[in-house]
Amino acid sequence: MTTDTPPEVAQADAEAREADDLLAALEERVRDGDDKDTPQQISEQRELGRFARLRAEAARRKAERTAADAEDKRRRKLTADALALVEQQGDRAPVADGYERARAALVDMLTMADAHDQVVSEAARMLRQTECGPMHRYESVEHENGSVTSEPCRVSASRTAPTVDPTADALAFGDGSRIRVRAERLLAVLVADVAAAHPVTVEARHPAFLAAPLNEQAHRHRDTVSAFLVAAKGGEAK
């Protein structure tokens, strides 16, 4: 019997033990030669003990049924609450709509980045053909410890006297340098910025979001995401 035993069960068990103790006492007195106790008394006490045990078992079964009914009621309430929560607040459609808008916006951004980079590459090619000056020159710099290093120094540029990098697609017309931004750089920094602003929860068995290659994560989760998007649009999720 534990501290969680219902009072009625504990009382019935106590009565059964008391009846057994009385029977044991009667039988022991007979063994000691007491002739005041009769067979009928022992038989009656034995029946009383048996009846007390039956009552204890009945109390225990009743308590178990009551506990089972309470647990079933608790499970049914939790199930109903979970269903209400999902139906009232678990709308998948906004997530799917946001996904489609984000994908379209990213495609537009990367397309524009590619167009920009093609312009910079072509302009740099044209400037190199004019043999215009380089964007940087290197000057000797003496440090406090006496060492001397060659440090890059930006060459001034203007609209009529631009500069160009001799090995990379970068140039300057006096209004700041123009470089190839490259779509993959934009995408990598954007993903990192978004993840920093809205931390991504990662399961313990998987590497951190930004530490794993995107193609690896996409391969791992594509089926789940695809099924989610299909269901969000009213289709049948697989």
Side-chain angles (χ1 to χ4, degrees):
M1 185 170 57
T2 68
T3 55
D4 296 330
T5 302
E8 59 273 18
V9 175
Q11 177 64 28
D13 283 339
E15 292 175 358
R17 288 194 301 272
E18 183 179 359
D20 288 341
D21 291 342
L22 288 174
L23 175 61
L26 281 174
E27 291 176 341
E28 188 61 28
R29 286 204 299 269
V30 173
R31 293 188 186 95
D32 287 341
D34 190 339
D35 56 4
K36 295 178 181 179
D37 297 314
T38 66
Q40 183 179 355
Q41 289 177 311
I42 293 178
S43 177
E44 290 176 352
Q45 187 58 45
R46 182 175 291 113
E47 290 302 314
L48 286 173
R50 182 173 180 274
F51 182 72
R53 287 191 296 276
L54 290 174
R55 287 185 58 194
E57 180 62 24
R60 187 173 293 104
R61 290 184 181 184
K62 181 179 179 180
E64 289 174 352
R65 287 193 298 270
T66 300
D69 290 343
E71 177 61 19
D72 182 63
K73 183 178 180 180
R74 185 187 72 86
R75 286 197 300 266
R76 284 188 280 109
K77 183 179 185 305
L78 282 175
T79 299
D81 290 347
L83 177 61
L85 180 64
V86 168
E87 290 185 338
Q88 295 170 14
Q89 302 181 38
D91 190 359
R92 294 169 291 193
V95 180
D97 291 342
Y99 177 89
E100 294 297 337
R101 290 195 304 272
R103 182 170 63 178
L106 282 176
V107 170
D108 287 345
M109 181 192 72
L110 298 180
T111 300
M112 289 183 286
D114 286 339
H116 168 272
D117 287 354
Q118 290 176 16
V119 168
V120 171
S121 295
E122 178 61 15
R125 184 189 67 79
M126 295 167 67
L127 290 180
R128 281 194 288 268
Q129 288 183 349
T130 67
E131 298 182 353
C132 78
M135 295 178 66
H136 298 89
R137 66 173 180 269
Y138 290 84
E139 297 180 349
S140 296
V141 177
E142 184 175 353
H143 301 280
E144 293 181 356
N145 60 6
S147 63
V148 178
T149 60
S150 180
E151 302 289 341
C153 178
R154 184 72 173 270
V155 176
S156 61
S158 68
R159 296 176 67 83
T160 56
T163 58
V164 65
D165 191 302
T167 60
D169 290 341
L171 52 93
F173 275 99
D175 57 348
S177 61
R178 304 292 183 92
I179 63 171
R180 290 181 69 242
V181 64
R182 294 174 56 175
E184 70 273 18
R185 292 173 179 169
L186 276 177
L187 186 59
V189 174
L190 177 63
V191 170
D193 288 346
V194 171
H198 186 82
V200 180
T201 301
V202 181
E203 297 181 17
R205 67 178 181 274
H206 293 316
F209 174 66
L210 293 178
L214 288 179
N215 60 346
E216 175 186 319
Q217 297 188 64
H219 176 74
R220 182 190 306 145
H221 303 302
R222 184 170 298 281
D223 289 346
T224 299
V225 172
S226 297
F228 177 92
L229 295 175
V230 169
K233 296 176 182 177
E236 184 69 23
K238 296 180 180 180

